[in-house]
Amino acid sequence: MIALRAHRHRAARRATGGPRPRPDRPADTGSALVITMMVVALVLVLGTTILRVTVNGMQASSASRASAAALDAADAGVAQALAYLRSSGSRSLRCSPDCTTNAWGSSSAPFGDDLPGSAGQSYTAWIEPIAPWPDNDPATYRIHSTGRSGSGVRAVEVDVSLSPIASLPLGLFGREISGGGNYSTTRVSVFSTGCVYRRDKIDVADTIDAAYGIPAAVHSSQVITNANGNNQYCSDAKGSGKNGPIHSWSASNAAGACNVEFPYDQDAYGGPLAGTACASVAAAYPAYYGAQDLDGDGTTDVDGSRIGSEDALRTLFGIGEDPFSADELDDLRAVAQSQGLYWTTNSGWSVPSPSVTPHAVMFFDLSPTNSSSALVNLSQADFDDWGREDTGEVVADSAQCPDQSLLIVIVNGDVRLNSNTSMAASIVLTSRSPYGKVSKNNGTADLIGTLFADAVDLTGTANLSLDECFLANLSPSLLRQGVGRYLEGARCGGAAPRPTQDHARPGDARPGGSRTPAGHRPAGVLVLLCWVTRLRDCRGRGSPCPTGSARRPRRSACRGRRSCRRRRCRGRR
């Protein structure tokens, strides 16, 4: 009966045209489209991220290569600056940083060059005097070099020290020295590890030694005497009074330490000057005349006019057993060969021109068979271009002080200066007896500079002097270089400077690349996460339209959720 009534009711509704109930659809209708869109979006985001990482990696790699190449170029600039100091010296840098004729001394228009065989590598460099030579020993110069390669720019600063070769004294040195005739020295001292004969014939002018800053004098670790002789160890230094040793100090003869005619001379027969007529000497120059224990053995090595040993003399004035080490001699030989000024005989040589080779090294590497083949006679050539007019002391900044230097090295040979020879030079005879002799002068020789030999015969007429101009132009080959402070400057990519320290902190940008700030994600990832979150709010846990719910949710649960489809929040029974 009930079934019949229901059937009749449905038939009546169909007859009257009433609405038919809409069948329920599955809850996951359209989810395939949403998932597809999610996958496409994820692929796009991942592809974009991979592309960005790849591009940034390539940019970082390129920037890193450019930076490394720029640093190499800057180091090349430093090497060129060191080579300049080694070949040209420091005299021309006195105008730095405002030099107008020397790019190495100009900060506004520095020396620059492209690296050969490179693709876009170049450098600019200049040299700044910090503690210049000869006012400072050692001197300090700072090299500023900037290298470029593509977008990379790197700058470095390097401090370089310059000091004379430690074993070569700046004066006249001989293991044996004999005076005679009319030989004068001005602003330069005489040193010997042997006897100095005929001191009364060596006219040491009452001047200040330009190299050591003390009164010019004669210093020997043996005996200084007015007697004649030619033996290094003074076996023939006899006589007394004016014809004997200039000093005769003893415990019972304290006054014998002072010779008022030669108050600044020192030798083994000298002694303390306190209480003598020369007492002011030690007080005025304690570094050279004060009581000193130089080797730390508890005994006094130097005191007043006394130099107690050969080691004490060498330590006090910086005199080596030999003028050069084997390596230093090889370096000088190489410089002379590169300048075309190397000879193996004492004939066929020529004088270089300072306009062509302003800092020349003449090297005579002899293998003599007799005395005549061992003698280098400098009077047979014209050295006028290497001389200076006798106008007294010339300072470094004077217009009369040319930027040039001459070094003459003689191995296994002797030398003669006479016949009005005039030059500004350092002359070094490296060999010991039977070679290394400076022959007597038969004419007038005028040498501005230094002389190192085994035996020096000062017989004849000659003048030896030293001044600030010569010291400022000391041959670059006689100056040792020492590299100290090395500082890398700012890293740059193009025109944008980078911090010197490459220590990235969270959120800091790396040179040539990028770093995502800590705690942040790319915008594409945020969009994707937001989309997934909204979809989860419409489906799954916490959804306002839970699957299988027989209850109709409250309208407020669907308000504002555009991702919820109204048809899914409505009609759920």
Side-chain angles (χ1 to χ4, degrees):
M1 182 64 71
I2 296 174
L4 182 60
R5 288 180 180 178
H7 175 73
R8 289 177 179 176
H9 178 70
R10 287 193 295 271
R13 293 189 60 180
R14 285 196 296 270
T16 58
R20 298 180 60 186
R22 183 177 298 175
D24 290 339
R25 294 183 179 182
D28 57 353
T29 299
S31 60
L33 177 61
V34 173
I35 293 174
T36 301
M37 293 178 66
M38 288 176 56
V39 171
V40 170
L42 180 61
V43 170
L44 288 175
V45 171
L46 291 177
T48 302
T49 302
I50 292 173
L51 179 62
R52 183 174 180 181
V53 170
T54 302
V55 171
N56 287 343
M58 295 175 63
Q59 292 176 345
S61 178
S62 176
S64 178
R65 288 194 300 270
S67 180
L71 182 59
D72 290 341
D75 287 340
V78 172
Q80 285 298 106
L82 292 174
Y84 174 84
L85 289 172
R86 191 178 302 112
S87 62
S88 302
S90 60
R91 165 70 163 70
S92 60
L93 298 173
R94 296 180 71 87
C95 55
S96 179
D98 302 314
C99 296
T100 56
T101 59
N102 182 13
W104 285 106
S106 174
S107 61
S108 58
F111 180 86
D113 199 4
D114 296 331
L115 297 188
S118 65
Q121 280 181 286
S122 63
Y123 67 84
T124 56
W126 64 284
I127 305 171
E128 175 188 8
I130 303 299
W133 170 265
D135 299 330
N136 301 274
D137 184 8
T140 302
Y141 292 82
R142 181 165 297 162
I143 299 172
H144 302 264
S145 180
T146 301
R148 293 176 173 81
S149 178
S151 62
V153 181
R154 296 291 292 274
V156 298
E157 291 181 358
V158 178
D159 284 357
V160 181
S161 64
L162 296 179
S163 60
I165 290 178
S167 56
L168 192 66
L170 296 175
L172 188 157
F173 173 84
R175 297 180 181 90
E176 172 196 331
I177 298 177
S178 299
N182 184 18
Y183 202 103
S184 67
T185 64
T186 306
R187 296 180 298 276
V188 61
S189 293
V190 179
F191 307 97
S192 179
T193 54
C195 270
V196 179
Y197 295 96
R198 295 307 304 267
R199 173 63 176 89
D200 57 332
K201 294 296 183 178
I202 303 174
D203 181 14
V204 180
D206 186 13
T207 54
I208 297 298
D209 187 311
Y212 296 93
I214 59 177
V218 178
H219 309 270
S220 172
S221 60
Q222 293 288 327
V223 179
I224 303 173
T225 179
N226 290 325
N228 291 317
N230 58 5
N231 186 287
Q232 179 179 356
Y233 297 104
C234 313
S235 60
D236 50 4
K238 301 176 182 178
S240 60
K242 290 186 177 181
N243 294 324
I246 65 170
H247 297 128
S248 57
W249 176 88
S250 67
S252 59
N253 183 24
C258 173
N259 186 310
V260 293
E261 187 177 0
F262 313 119
Y264 302 103
D265 285 11
Q266 296 173 295
D267 67 358
Y269 283 11
L273 297 175
T276 70
C278 304
S280 61
V281 174
Y285 305 100
Y288 291 92
Y289 294 92
Q292 301 178 64
D293 175 13
L294 299 178
D295 55 10
D297 64 353
T299 61
T300 302
D301 299 307
V302 176
D303 192 358
S305 63
R306 177 179 177 272
I307 293 181
S309 67
E310 181 176 321
D311 288 341
L313 174 73
R314 295 187 184 281
T315 302
L316 189 63
F317 292 101
I319 305 172
E321 288 280 351
D322 296 294
F324 305 119
S325 67
D327 289 341
E328 290 167 345
L329 201 59
D330 286 341
D331 289 341
L332 293 172
R333 187 178 285 109
V335 172
Q337 290 172 338
S338 69
Q339 296 176 346
L341 301 176
Y342 176 80
W343 299 278
T344 57
T345 66
N346 63 349
S347 62
W349 56 273
S350 60
V351 179
S353 170
S355 62
V356 177
T357 313
H359 299 281
V361 178
M362 299 176 66
F363 200 107
F364 295 87
D365 209 352
L366 306 180
S367 300
T369 57
N370 52 52
S371 59
S372 61
S373 62
L375 180 63
V376 178
N377 189 353
L378 297 180
S379 64
Q380 73 182 40
D382 184 0
F383 283 88
D384 287 347
D385 288 342
W386 294 98
R388 285 195 261 121
E389 294 183 7
D390 186 10
T391 57
E393 183 177 11
V394 178
V395 297
D397 294 325
S398 171
Q400 298 175 335
C401 182
D403 182 15
Q404 62 186 47
S405 65
L406 176 63
L407 171 62
I408 301 175
V409 180
I410 302 174
V411 179
N412 295 329
D414 306 322
V415 70
R416 174 174 289 164
L417 286 167
N418 58 14
S419 301
N420 298 314
T421 302
S422 177
M423 69 174 73
S426 296
I427 302 176
V428 182
L429 287 76
T430 65
S431 304
R432 298 179 182 239
S433 181
Y435 305 114
K437 300 186 187 71
V438 178
S439 300
K440 65 179 182 180
N441 302 294
N442 295 325
T444 300
D446 188 3
L447 174 63
I448 303 173
T450 62
L451 183 61
F452 188 104
D454 185 73
V456 181
D457 187 348
L458 300 181
T459 303
T461 303
N463 303 302
L464 176 65
S465 63
L466 201 61
D467 59 17
E468 183 183 285
C469 175
F470 178 84
L471 293 175
N473 283 298
L474 190 67
S475 173
S477 297
L478 295 179
L479 293 174
R480 284 179 172 172
Q481 290 184 357
V483 178
R485 167 182 171 272
Y486 181 100
L487 177 65
E488 289 186 27
R491 297 187 178 196
C492 301
R498 300 283 185 183
T500 300
Q501 298 296 328
D502 186 17
H503 298 298
R505 296 169 297 175
D508 287 349
R510 292 186 181 275
S514 64
R515 179 182 178 90
T516 302
H520 295 272
R521 298 184 178 90
V525 177
L526 287 176
V527 171
L528 180 61
L529 290 177
C530 179
W531 192 4
V532 172
T533 301
R534 288 181 177 176
L535 181 63
R536 184 199 64 189
D537 287 344
C538 292
R539 303 183 63 230
R541 290 182 299 174
S543 171
C545 306
T547 303
S549 174
R551 297 177 54 188
R552 181 175 180 176
R554 294 178 298 175
R555 292 183 180 274
S556 60
C558 289
R559 290 176 182 173
R561 298 188 181 273
R562 296 183 180 180
S563 60
C564 295
R565 301 177 63 181
R566 290 183 179 275
R567 61 183 179 81
R568 294 178 58 197
C569 291
R570 297 172 59 188
R572 297 295 296 271
R573 295 290 189 269

